[in-house]
Amino acid sequence: MKGPTTIVTDGFELYLIKYGNSGMATAGSGDVLSGIISGVSGYISDPVKIAYISAYINGMAGDLANKKINSYSMLASDTIKEIPNVLEKMIAK
């Protein structure tokens, strides 16, 4: 479910993602998320965790792009450019 907070659940596990912004409501953003899901699927087999981690990466990348550009001028490709930065931050934790 998408809104101000993304909710990922299978009815038993519940994850809330508070990343993402209105600048991501642009053509191709769903394709970006689909690509992230495909990539994460190569490492994880649990569908709920795949959805949660993918939404997290996508939202955080969108927020980094928003800080560099702004929500009015963002393109899906701006989110893509920030994915490596998100992964670096995740690996560092």
Side-chain angles (χ1 to χ4, degrees):
M1 189 165 103
K2 185 67 187 139
T5 299
T6 300
I7 301 169
V8 177
T9 185
D10 64 355
F12 299 101
E13 294 180 89
L14 174 70
Y15 298 96
L16 304 175
I17 300 109
K18 296 189 178 196
Y19 295 107
N21 60 79
S22 61
M24 298 171 72
T26 187
S29 287
D31 297 318
V32 174
L33 178 58
S34 294
I36 294 169
I37 290 169
S38 294
V40 171
S41 295
Y43 293 92
I44 299 170
S45 60
D46 181 332
V48 176
K49 287 189 174 53
I50 292 168
Y52 162 69
I53 292 167
S54 299
Y56 178 91
I57 292 168
N58 190 53
M60 191 175 227
D63 283 353
L64 290 176
N66 186 34
K67 286 180 185 176
K68 288 185 177 178
I69 301 163
N70 64 59
S71 61
Y72 302 107
S73 303
M74 278 179 59
L75 301 172
S77 59
D78 298 319
T79 299
I80 293 170
K81 290 174 190 170
E82 296 302 327
I83 293 171
N85 296 325
V86 172
L87 296 177
E88 268 186 45
K89 289 180 182 195
M90 291 175 71
I91 291 168
K93 286 186 178 181

